[in-house]
Amino acid sequence: MSGSSEKWPGWKKPVPPPPEFFTPGDRSPDAQQQRLILDWAVNQRIASGWRVESRSETQAVMVRGKPVNHVLHAILTVFTCLLWGIVWLILATTNRMERVALTIDASGHVVAVAAPGSPDV
């Protein structure tokens, strides 16, 4: 997990789930405990500004950012005699959506995998 903690809050030093989510001893968590741990990890990302794109019992896909509304910017560019085109160009080149898949393994650890083109998590 690389990247700066200021730019990606909650990713550099993840807070471990509460101990009551785990089974005492060295046993692996059962399915219900794994869901609780994943729910907890998803809620941590939501608090950092991410939103859930899809969710299953063992995986959640999280997204941050919004796509550029090209139709709206095209209309604004026409009505402003191409002046808005500068703003549109800047938005189109600097705006990006980030996507990450959170998966829980059998031992109860949450694994984050960034989508291609997303910054490292």
Side-chain angles (χ1 to χ4, degrees):
M1 292 185 6
S2 62
S4 76
S5 59
E6 296 82 29
K7 188 171 181 183
W8 313 114
W11 291 99
K12 185 66 174 175
K13 292 182 181 179
V15 179
E20 59 267 12
F21 287 175
F22 293 96
T23 306
D26 291 336
R27 294 186 328 200
S28 296
D30 61 16
Q32 181 181 3
Q33 290 167 322
Q34 288 178 346
R35 282 192 300 272
L36 285 172
I37 294 167
L38 185 60
D39 287 342
W40 185 87
V42 167
N43 288 334
Q44 294 296 307
R45 279 23 178 222
I46 289 172
S48 297
W50 293 77
R51 64 185 184 278
V52 178
E53 184 176 62
S54 67
R55 174 71 199 266
S56 71
E57 288 189 16
T58 59
Q59 183 181 40
V61 177
M62 308 290 293
V63 180
R64 183 192 288 185
K66 293 183 180 179
V68 176
N69 186 345
H70 292 291
V71 173
L72 173 65
H73 289 289
I75 293 169
L76 289 172
T77 300
V78 169
F79 283 123
T80 61
C81 299
L82 304 179
L83 289 176
W84 190 258
I86 298 168
V87 175
W88 185 12
L89 180 65
I90 292 170
L91 285 175
T93 57
T94 60
N95 186 43
R96 61 176 192 222
M97 287 182 53
E98 305 158 51
R99 184 172 279 112
V100 66
L102 300 177
T103 306
I104 186 150
D105 62 13
S107 62
H109 295 105
V110 177
V111 179
V113 179
S118 293
D120 293 336
V121 292

